Amino acid sequence: MTALSSRPGLPRARAVTFRSDEALLAQIAVTVRHRRLAAGITQEVLAGLSGTGPRFVRELEQAKPTLEIGKVLAVLQALGLRLALDVHRPLESSRNK
């Protein structure tokens, strides 16, 4: 259902399907931490680059389940990542009932 990928020109991550919200959040947390460390920046620096706070970055890397999606997206963008969704099941139309 969801994939993480890099900016254009960088290797593209493959699409991955997650069985639970917890698994998706855990993968985002691991990806953020690895990308931050690969960039050689601290949580404080990433917080500044993304317009969030160090506590938020720390909680994101710990996969806290109640994070604000807008801030998560800001951190991903600062690291050159994006969250992509695709439809795996059509919605039932209430008109067809």
Side-chain angles (χ1 to χ4, degrees):
M1 175 172 148
T2 305
L4 293 173
S5 63
S6 301
R7 284 187 178 160
L10 297 176
R12 185 170 170 82
R14 63 184 172 81
V16 179
T17 300
F18 297 93
R19 296 188 184 273
S20 69
D21 294 344
E22 293 82 17
L24 170 59
L25 187 54
Q27 184 60 54
I28 292 170
V30 167
T31 302
V32 165
R33 179 171 171 77
H34 286 188
R35 186 79 168 191
R36 177 182 63 78
L37 293 173
I41 59 175
T42 64
Q43 290 176 334
E44 291 77 15
V45 169
L46 178 55
L49 292 171
S50 62
T52 63
R55 179 179 174 179
F56 181 83
V57 173
R58 192 169 43 255
E59 290 175 346
L60 175 55
E61 289 186 359
Q62 294 171 351
K64 182 180 177 186
T66 57
L67 297 171
E68 265 185 65
I69 188 67
K71 289 182 179 182
V72 171
L73 295 174
V75 170
L76 295 177
Q77 183 177 8
L79 290 169
L81 299 168
R82 66 180 178 173
L83 191 63
L85 303 174
D86 83 346
V87 176
H88 72 278
R89 178 184 90 222
L91 293 174
E92 273 189 42
S93 172
S94 60
R95 288 180 271 172
N96 294 338
K97 291 183 178 182

